[in-house]
Amino acid sequence: MRLIEAVREGLREEMAADPGVFLIGQDIGINGGVFRVTDGLLEEFGPGRVIDSPLAESGMVGVAIGAALNGMRPVVEIQFADFIFPAFNQLVSEAARMHYRTNGEFPVPMVIRAPYGGGVRGGLYHSQSVEAYFAHVPGLKVVVPSSPYDAKGLLKAAIRDDNPVLFFEHKLAYNTVRGEVPDGDYTVPIGEAVVRREGRNLTLISYGLSVHHCLEAAETLAAEGISCEVVDLRTVSPLDTRAFLESVRKTGRACIVHEDNLTGGVGAEVAAIIAKDAFEYLDAPVQRVAAPDVPSFPYSPTLEDALLPGPPDIVRVARELAAY
Amino acid sequence: MPASDGIEPLRGSGLDGTDAQRIYRYMLLARAISEKSWLLTRQGRVLFTMPCDGQEAADVASAYALDRGNDFIVPYARSLGAMLVKGMTTQEVMLNMFGKAADPNSGGRQMPMHWGYKKLGIISMGSSVATTIPRAAGVALASKLRKQNAVTMVYFGEGSASEGDFHEGLAFAGVHRLPVVFFCNNNGWATSVPVNLQSAEPQVAKRAQGYGFPGVTIDGLDPLTVYQAVKAAVDLARSGEGPTLVEAMTIRMMPHSSSDDHLRYRTQEELDAERKLDPLPRFRDFLISANLLNEESDQTMSDSVDQEVEDAIELADAAPSPDPDSAMDRVYAP
Ligand SMILES: Cc1ncc(C[n+]2csc(CCOP(=O)(O)OP(=O)(O)O)c2C)c(N)n1
Ligand SMILES: [Mg+2]
């Protein structure tokens, strides 16, 4: 099954199981979403549960928060993660702190789904990774699945979670990443990382589409005798620190990989945790592979390709690490 | 003004004399709490307040038009009168003012006058103005989807009607004909910025037209007028006919907040002239002329209100503060 179908299956099953689940977004109705994630859901569930919103992200998220406070479980689709910023205030000032500021009286069970990521020649405004902005915010959970199995299971868990969850789907993964997805109901717990590949010499820590780049790099490196462990975070907030610390304590070398730009990214946080809690196990400095600090990916293929981090970058840094 | 025996509908408002007396008491109570809170900030016993003086008629009478056990309020910081009508006790308000653990609004986590009380159908507000407006549309959307027969009323000031969230919330509510009433308290000021600097069209109610539903501008200093207009809007909303924007013209008799000095941008003469419009003596005179109040019963009512506030302050002041060990609790829902 393709990742896009897994997301759709997750939505469909949760909508069928719980009448409180409804969708709100732009072009998600008759058009099925610009990526077709919600294709067929309008026909199946009707316009009361698949709502084409006015073109207003803050309003959309604000409405979803209100509905969540009154017994519903809204799932918002932001058409591209790049367009989430008009709703930043609603997410950070309202959704994230509603439970805290009401001393637990008002949870906000809401999911914000958004396609993220570059490599699709989408230019500066259809290519961004925005998870770090939200991973910084206590009260939000941030999930970035890498496989169809996880996409469905994590989405179902996110919808059932009583907290606001941001759910980022790599748009390039929608139709290129395939995998086994069992029939029927299952969830993947939020906040649990998974080891995708076992290894001895170094640990690659990543999430989302970049996990596949790590796996590809690990294959190349294996041929050179460098054995890589690949940890897929799956959730970038709250982080499953135990999972990557355990791996780093075993391998003694760590490299965090993400498509988001370097400074203040998730990698910085993971590196800080490793430095504090696995310091005496380290045989080399913690490394990061990320996009350079440029405002998103430019349009021209020659320009974008110059900046997109990929398997060769990981291989290069891993060799340095292994040789350290 | 025709004399009334206390149960005749007053001026066709749909309210009888007993309602009018209740409204008057709520107005007195809101004023007393507002004034006392101001004094408490001057004494340093309370750290912040946002007075509602001049707005009592608008807040109290609008909330009085709701089905109080069933409908929702999404308040703003000057909605004290509406909170009282919705069932928050003076004691609870004072626990909020003092930031005590038993404050049902936030357990001392938010500044004073930041309301939210699930049991009473009061949806939590933060400080970021107008974020409440799409939220109210969302509460109303859920009511519609869940076939709850509830109306949601959201309160905000005319300055906040310049925020994008105001427009986004109205657009959504209009499209889906949601059971929501947008209640704008137009006191002419957003802190120090006068309404003519908010928009070249300062009549906020006109903006409803842009979203396909009615907008009305009313005298927000007369509770009967407010009640009538809001009741009509609430009935419309409840019958499935969609939202109304009600703009109540009010006055701001006090500074924006306890941290503000309004003499930096308003003259004493202007403030003195505005004070003559105070809705409280005006309604008192009306009630006396309608034989619903006399000097003596007015005094008795004022005394009981003052006592209620004094008692609440004493209890709230003595109530325990939140446990510092709980400061990290409840960041996430379990
Ligand atoms: C988004 C946001 N910007 C600025 C402020 C600071 N602020 C608090 S109240 C206020 C003025 C509000 O004026 P209005 O909406 O007319 O309500 P009023 O205070 O007059 O009742 C401002 C600027 C805020 N709380 N939120
Ligand atoms: Mg104002």
Side-chain angles (χ1 to χ4, degrees):
Chain A
M1 186 182 278
R2 290 173 297 154
L3 192 136
I4 191 169
E5 294 162 323
V7 175
R8 189 184 303 133
E9 273 308 296
L11 289 172
R12 175 183 286 127
E13 287 180 17
E14 289 307 292
M15 291 179 81
D18 180 352
V21 179
F22 75 98
L23 313 184
I24 178 167
Q26 292 152 13
D27 304 292
I28 64 167
I30 188 158
N31 200 27
V34 295
F35 289 96
R36 307 286 176 262
V37 171
T38 56
D39 199 23
L41 298 180
L42 175 70
E43 290 82 341
E44 195 172 338
F45 296 102
R49 297 183 67 196
V50 182
I51 300 175
D52 268 327
S53 160
L55 213 176
E57 288 76 12
S58 182
M60 235 154 64
V61 173
V63 163
I65 294 169
L69 295 179
N70 190 10
M72 305 294 286
R73 292 188 175 273
V75 181
V76 181
E77 177 174 299
I78 301 287
Q79 198 159 75
F80 289 83
D82 311 66
F83 306 129
I84 203 167
F85 298 115
F88 196 74
N89 191 44
Q90 285 287 354
L91 290 164
V92 174
S93 305
E94 301 302 312
R97 61 189 65 174
M98 187 73 69
H99 189 262
Y100 183 80
R101 82 177 183 211
T102 60
N103 209 9
E105 279 292 296
F106 283 104
V108 183
M110 172 179 79
V111 178
I112 309 290
R113 294 182 36 251
Y116 82 98
V120 297
R121 311 314 185 202
L124 277 76
Y125 298 95
H126 301 80
S127 304
Q128 290 171 76
S129 297
V130 303
E131 63 276 8
Y133 297 103
F134 299 102
H136 181 66
V137 180
L140 298 177
K141 296 185 180 182
V142 184
V143 173
V144 194
S146 69
S147 73
Y149 179 91
D150 280 0
K152 180 175 167 184
L154 281 166
L155 181 61
K156 288 163 80 77
I159 292 171
R160 294 176 200 183
D161 200 292
D162 280 339
N163 294 281
V165 181
L166 286 111
F167 194 88
F168 295 118
E169 303 152 11
H170 201 294
K171 61 179 82 72
L172 198 57
Y174 274 146
N175 291 299
T176 61
V177 174
R178 291 165 185 272
E180 290 294 312
V181 176
D183 280 338
D185 185 42
Y186 69 94
T187 59
V188 172
I190 293 174
E192 272 187 30
V194 67
V195 174
R196 291 287 175 208
R197 178 188 173 112
E198 305 229 355
R200 296 180 317 278
N201 303 131
L202 64 94
T203 303
L204 299 171
I205 302 161
S206 191
Y207 53 91
L209 184 68
S210 300
V211 169
H212 298 277
H213 297 159
C214 291
L215 291 169
E216 198 181 319
E219 209 46 48
T220 308
L221 292 157
E224 303 172 12
I226 301 171
S227 163
C228 298
E229 184 142 304
V230 178
V231 177
D232 180 355
L233 293 172
R234 303 200 283 196
T235 298
V236 299
S237 179
L239 281 169
D240 182 356
T241 54
R242 192 196 46 82
F244 64 79
L245 286 171
E246 212 163 82
S247 176
V248 174
R249 285 180 187 135
K250 182 176 77 177
T251 63
R253 293 174 165 83
C255 174
I256 307 111
V257 180
H258 54 61
E259 196 182 300
D260 195 2
N261 65 295
L262 184 78
T263 299
V266 170
E269 188 60 33
V270 172
I273 293 166
I274 294 171
K276 176 176 173 292
D277 290 333
F279 183 72
E280 59 271 41
Y281 296 86
L282 289 175
D283 297 320
V286 179
Q287 283 277 21
R288 288 177 287 167
V289 170
D293 290 328
V294 168
S296 188
F297 298 116
Y299 174 68
S300 163
T302 57
L303 295 174
E304 180 170 40
D305 292 346
L307 302 183
L308 260 178
D313 304 292
I314 303 168
V315 168
R316 182 174 43 76
V317 170
R319 282 184 190 137
E320 282 170 28
L321 263 183
Y324 188 88
Chain B
M1 219 67 75
S4 162
D5 61 4
I7 47 171
E8 286 294 305
L10 291 169
R11 286 198 331 222
S13 66
L15 291 169
D16 65 23
T18 313
D19 293 317
Q21 287 161 340
R22 284 205 186 111
I23 286 174
Y24 180 61
R25 190 179 191 282
Y26 279 125
M27 288 171 63
L28 282 179
L29 184 57
R31 174 66 58 88
I33 294 173
S34 187
E35 284 181 344
K36 263 290 183 234
S37 300
W38 183 266
L39 288 177
L40 289 167
T41 63
R42 302 299 102 170
Q43 295 166 353
R45 293 168 72 196
V46 158
L47 305 178
F48 180 77
T49 190
M50 288 184 72
C52 65
D53 307 44
Q55 201 171 304
E56 295 87 350
D59 282 337
V60 168
S62 57
Y64 207 82
L66 292 172
D67 173 354
R68 275 160 280 162
N70 191 42
D71 292 341
F72 294 100
I73 286 182
V74 188
Y76 91 116
R78 268 182 249 286
S79 302
L80 169 62
M83 299 300 90
L84 297 170
V85 174
K86 199 78 169 67
M88 201 179 298
T89 65
T90 305
Q91 178 67 62
E92 289 167 333
V93 170
M94 279 303 162
L95 286 165
N96 173 261
M97 295 307 303
F98 281 86
K100 293 303 176 76
D103 160 31
N105 293 280
S106 72
R109 288 174 172 212
Q110 293 220 78
M111 293 170 90
M113 303 278 174
H114 283 51
W115 317 111
Y117 197 163
K118 192 170 200 171
K119 192 179 79 182
L120 297 179
I122 298 166
I123 304 293
S124 165
M125 57 169 279
S127 299
S128 185
V129 298
T131 55
T132 48
I133 298 172
R135 182 145 80 248
V139 173
L141 173 69
S143 290
K144 191 175 168 185
L145 293 172
R146 297 176 62 193
K147 305 195 174 18
Q148 272 172 341
N149 189 29
V151 172
T152 298
M153 184 144 64
V154 55
Y155 291 89
F156 52 90
E158 88 295 336
S160 305
S162 297
E163 291 278 359
D165 271 351
F166 166 85
H167 296 273
E168 299 191 19
L170 264 65
F172 192 91
V175 168
H176 295 277
R177 307 218 76 67
L178 296 178
V180 58
V181 178
F182 299 102
F183 191 94
C184 177
N185 167 53
N186 187 343
N187 59 15
W189 295 92
T191 313
S192 69
V193 180
V195 65
N196 63 304
L197 295 184
Q198 294 294 341
S199 170
E201 173 48 75
Q203 193 180 351
V204 173
K206 281 190 183 169
R207 293 174 208 174
Q209 209 186 352
Y211 300 104
F213 56 82
V216 292
T217 302
I218 57 167
D219 177 4
L221 302 176
D222 175 41
L224 301 185
T225 303
V226 172
Y227 176 83
Q228 229 172 328
V230 175
K231 185 70 168 63
V234 167
D235 289 348
L236 201 69
R238 207 181 307 282
S239 67
E241 293 299 308
T244 304
L245 171 59
V246 179
E247 176 186 24
M249 303 306 292
T250 62
I251 51 175
R252 203 190 80 197
M253 294 163 60
M254 294 290 285
H256 170 72
S257 75
S258 51
S259 316
D260 180 43
D261 171 9
H262 57 178
L263 289 174
R264 291 175 65 85
Y265 52 88
R266 301 184 78 177
T267 64
Q268 193 57 55
E269 296 71 52
E270 179 192 336
L271 288 159
D272 291 344
E274 199 172 81
R275 195 161 273 277
K276 298 205 173 75
L277 304 173
D278 186 343
L280 270 166
R282 177 172 157 186
F283 196 46
R284 176 193 299 126
D285 291 348
F286 167 77
L287 292 175
I288 290 174
S289 74
N291 288 332
L292 291 166
L293 197 72
N294 56 41
E295 296 286 332
E296 198 190 326
S297 59
D298 185 29
Q299 194 57 52
T300 311
M301 212 189 270
S302 289
D303 290 346
S304 90
V305 160
D306 289 344
Q307 193 57 50
E308 183 175 328
V309 178
E310 286 304 332
D311 292 348
I313 289 172
E314 200 173 313
L315 280 164
D317 203 7
S321 288
D323 178 357
D325 289 341
S326 73
M328 304 265 295
D329 292 351
R330 307 197 178 93
V331 175
Y332 289 94

